């Protein structure tokens, strides 16, 4: 027997309608590429999203057509999220940090018809325009008087176009399983792959994310998403903000410590979200000016592992709680969060830090298990480690255009991560499977060792790779960036590690480097390093 409840489709336009009628006066603050600070309200955003919808209709954009954005976190990007998806078109957010050939690949692969672009990124498109001839129009996100002198053919001014449109529009109703937005993985091995989110998956993900022990968002929350809207929808926060009425403070291009602090001091957010490298910059800046992040209560950190030194710095210097999170593009992205709970708050501080360093527990809607190479389940004892598989309503079920992948196994998605799960369902990421170091048949976690090493006050960033070895197959090598002026030696670093890791984990070499390569999503990019140091120990 079926239930007798309404089957209202879960569409992102319903989030915006709710936000406008319930949280219309909520402020949205943005640092613009033009340099100034812009303010408007959720009601303003809703009106402008309807103007976008009218503009798309004028350009004959149909449901399912892909419309791209190449933009920072700002109010125009926010209204485009709703204006594009609300009509049934597919919002394709492009990561400007991808290499030029990857940009060409994904714009052509997605068959984007329009590209909305921030001033900063116009030169990126100018350089490749000959190779993306399918794009019909480039719409530059600025006022008429800021229009650049561009070689882009068919370039138009966003504000001029919007001003000519009506702010009246009736959002269409359609199947909630329709595509809503898409994001390509950064493709560190092979071409990027398109992940196509649906309206249903997006709304369910947002509903689950806002919970008290998840992101903990409410109408009283003011949050600063440093995690970009051009990669995995800023962890879904543009949608969570509409549900809760939380105030958004968008940093625009100002991702450095000083610019972030300026915005934090002025707008007093209580919640920050971003990857560890961003927080390292902010923490260093705060040390250098000797100030405290007074307004900040929680910092959600994911994308790469948060080291204990960072958990400690936020707590002890800024009285802020670091919520460690794990997810991926293919998971919309939220998988697990390590939020406050009664048990954690009762622990002695050092024990609490150890627990906080785990990636957390799954959000309702995400199921996870670890398996061995024969796909046999492994125990949840916090010790056994294996391939991490996940499933749930906001997890990818296939890549765009059926791009082949061996990641889909009997209804589960193989994350490519190696992990342990403990008896309370806390997840610990041991490594990416391709980054695990196999020494004499045993595994060494490069993530663990990086996080321990970076706890040294004179090291700013550390990277551990497996290097071929004649006797042990592979041995770890630590590449480290020193603080300016530091005279640290290889022996000093080994002495620091000595009582913190088991003996056989000790890196065979510690090399000091000036910089380390990163992927377009800010993670350490180990492939070129493994090639560069391939013969070091042979
Ligand atoms: P890509 O850069 O390929 O687009 P994603 O942004 O989707 O990747 O990142 C997904 C991967 O990032 C995860 O599979 C995991 O390896 C890593 N990751 C994400 N969060 C964490 C975390 N808190 N700790 C360790 N690794 C993490």
């Amino acid at each position: 027997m079926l239930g007798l409840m309404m089957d209202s489709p879960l569409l992102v336009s319903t989030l915006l309608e709710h936000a406008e009628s319930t949280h219309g006066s909520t402020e949205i603050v943005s640092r613009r590429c033009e340099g100034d600070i812009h303010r408007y309200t959720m009601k303003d955003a809703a009106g402008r999203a309807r103007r976008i919808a009218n503009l798309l209709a004028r350009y004959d954009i149909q449901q399912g057509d892909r419309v791209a954005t190449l933009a920072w976190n700002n109010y125009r990007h926010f209204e485009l999220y709703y204006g594009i998806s609300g009509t049934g078109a597919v919002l394709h957010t492009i990561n400007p940090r991808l290499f030029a050939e990857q940009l060409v690949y994904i714009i052509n692969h997605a068959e984007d018809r329009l590209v909305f672009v921030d001033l900063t990124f116009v030169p990126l498109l100018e350089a490749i325009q000959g190779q993306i001839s399918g794009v019909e129009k480039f719409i530059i996100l600025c006022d008429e008087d800021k229009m650049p002198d561009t070689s882009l053919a068919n370039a138009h001014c966003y504000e001029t176009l919007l001003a000519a449109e009506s702010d009246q529009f009736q959002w269409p109703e359609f199947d909630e399983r329709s595509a809503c937005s898409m994001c390509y993985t950064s493709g560190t091995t092979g071409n990027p792959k398109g992940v196509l989110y649906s309206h249903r998956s997006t709304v369910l993900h947002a509903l689950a994310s806002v919970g008290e022990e998840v992101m903990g968002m409410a109408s009283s929350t003011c949050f600063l998403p440093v995690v970009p809207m051009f990669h995995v929808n800023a962890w879904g926060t543009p949608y969570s903000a509409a549900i809760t009425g939380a105030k958004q403070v968008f940093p625009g291009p100002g991702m450095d410590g000083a610019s972030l602090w300026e915005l934090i001091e002025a707008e007093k957010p209580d919640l920050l979200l971003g990857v560890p490298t961003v927080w390292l910059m902010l923490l260093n800046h705060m040390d250098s000016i000797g100030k405290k992040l007074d307004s900040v209560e929680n910092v959600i950190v994911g994308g790469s592992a948060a080291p204990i030194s960072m958990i400690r710095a936020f707590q002890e210097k800024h009285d802020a709680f670091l919520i460690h999170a794990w997810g991926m593009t293919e998971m919309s992205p939220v998988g697990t969060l390590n939020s406050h709970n009664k048990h954690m708050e009762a622990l002695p501080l050092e024990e609490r830090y150890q627990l906080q360093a785990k990636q957390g527990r799954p959000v309702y809607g995400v199921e996870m298990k670890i398996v061995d190479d024969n796909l046999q389940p492994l125990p949840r004892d916090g010790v056994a480690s294996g391939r991490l598989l996940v499933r749930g309503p906001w997890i990818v079920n296939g890549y765009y255009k059926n791009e082949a992948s061996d990641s889909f196994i009997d209804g589960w998605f193989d994350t490519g991560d190696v992990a342990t799960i403990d008896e309370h369902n806390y997840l610990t990421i041991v490594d990416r499977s391709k980054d695990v170091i196999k020494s004499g048949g045993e595994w060494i976690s490069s993530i663990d060792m990086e996080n321990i090493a970076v706890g040294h006050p004179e090291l700013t960033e550390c990277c551990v790779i497996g290097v071929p070895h004649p006797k042990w197959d592979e041995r770890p090598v630590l590449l480290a960036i020193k603080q300016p002026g530091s005279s640290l030696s290889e022996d000093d670093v080994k002495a620091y590690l000595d009582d913190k890791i088991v003996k056989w984990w000790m890196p065979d070499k510690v090399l000091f480097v000036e910089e380390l390569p990163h992927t377009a999503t800010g993670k350490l990019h180990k492939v070129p390093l493994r090639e560069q140091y391939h013969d070091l120990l042979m």
Side-chain angles (χ1 to χ4, degrees), residues 369-389 417-422 426-433 436-438 441-446 448 504-505:
K369 65 175 177 183
I370 46 171
V371 296
D372 64 18
D373 283 340
N374 300 317
L375 302 177
Q376 292 310 304
L378 291 166
R380 291 170 191 252
D381 58 7
V383 178
S385 66
R387 289 159 67 180
L388 175 62
L389 310 190
D417 285 338
V418 175
T420 66
I421 301 176
D422 72 15
Y426 277 96
L427 173 77
T428 302
I429 299 291
V430 174
D431 236 324
R432 292 294 289 168
S433 54
V436 172
I437 301 163
K438 292 171 200 96
E442 299 283 344
W443 284 3
I444 297 176
S445 160
S446 65
D448 263 7
W504 60 276
W505 277 33

Side-chain angles (χ1 to χ4, degrees), residues 247-297:
K247 172 177 166 180
Q248 298 170 93
V249 180
F250 289 126
M255 310 279 216
D256 60 290
S259 306
L260 289 175
W261 166 236
E262 193 183 285
L263 212 49
I264 293 169
E265 198 178 24
E267 302 301 324
K268 313 226 174 314
D270 49 84
L271 174 66
L272 313 180
L273 303 97
V275 298
T277 40
V278 165
W279 305 130
L280 266 184
M281 289 192 289
L282 179 65
L283 289 169
N284 285 341
H285 179 72
M286 300 313 290
D287 281 349
S288 71
I289 59 170
K291 293 220 162 132
K292 184 168 175 262
L293 297 164
D294 281 322
S295 66
V296 179
E297 291 170 17

Side-chain angles (χ1 to χ4, degrees), residues 291-460:
K291 293 220 162 132
K292 184 168 175 262
L293 297 164
D294 281 322
S295 66
V296 179
E297 291 170 17
N298 293 303
V299 187
I300 303 183
V301 183
S304 304
I308 287 197
S309 52
M310 183 173 287
I311 298 172
R312 188 191 302 279
F314 272 118
Q315 190 63 56
E316 295 177 8
K317 295 184 180 171
H318 301 285
D319 207 12
F321 187 92
L322 188 151
I323 301 175
H324 199 178
W326 166 85
M328 39 190 326
T329 310
E330 287 89 338
M331 300 176 69
S332 301
V334 173
T336 62
L337 267 102
N338 202 340
S339 205
H340 317 244
N341 57 42
K342 271 196 283 192
H343 166 69
M344 191 184 278
E345 273 148 26
L347 290 174
L349 209 50
E350 287 302 323
E351 256 177 71
R352 199 188 88 185
Y353 293 156
Q354 296 293 336
L355 181 58
Q356 277 180 271
K358 294 178 178 239
Q359 276 72 7
R361 300 200 284 184
V363 176
Y364 166 76
V366 174
E367 273 181 87
M368 53 187 202
K369 65 175 177 183
I370 46 171
V371 296
D372 64 18
D373 283 340
N374 300 317
L375 302 177
Q376 292 310 304
L378 291 166
R380 291 170 191 252
D381 58 7
V383 178
S385 66
R387 289 159 67 180
L388 175 62
L389 310 190
V390 292
R391 67 177 179 190
W394 55 81
I395 294 168
V396 70
N397 198 23
Y399 289 108
Y400 182 55
K401 292 187 176 168
N402 291 324
E403 216 68 11
S405 167
D406 49 15
S407 302
F408 302 101
I409 304 169
D410 293 338
W412 291 79
F413 175 72
D414 186 345
T415 61
D417 285 338
V418 175
T420 66
I421 301 176
D422 72 15
E423 66 272 32
H424 303 294
N425 230 10
Y426 277 96
L427 173 77
T428 302
I429 299 291
V430 174
D431 236 324
R432 292 294 289 168
S433 54
K434 56 185 187 294
D435 292 339
V436 172
I437 301 163
K438 292 171 200 96
S439 176
E442 299 283 344
W443 284 3
I444 297 176
S445 160
S446 65
I447 294 187
D448 263 7
M449 208 164 10
E450 283 157 10
N451 285 345
I452 292 168
V454 85
H456 192 294
E458 290 182 44
L459 295 180
T460 55

Side-chain angles (χ1 to χ4, degrees), residues 33 55 81 128 133 158 187 202 232 246 255 280 305 343 427 432 437 439 490 492:
C33 321
L55 177 67
Y81 262 56
I128 59 169
S133 52
Y158 179 70
T202 304
V232 218
M255 310 279 216
L280 266 184
H343 166 69
L427 173 77
R432 292 294 289 168
I437 301 163
S439 176
E490 173 165 9
D492 295 336

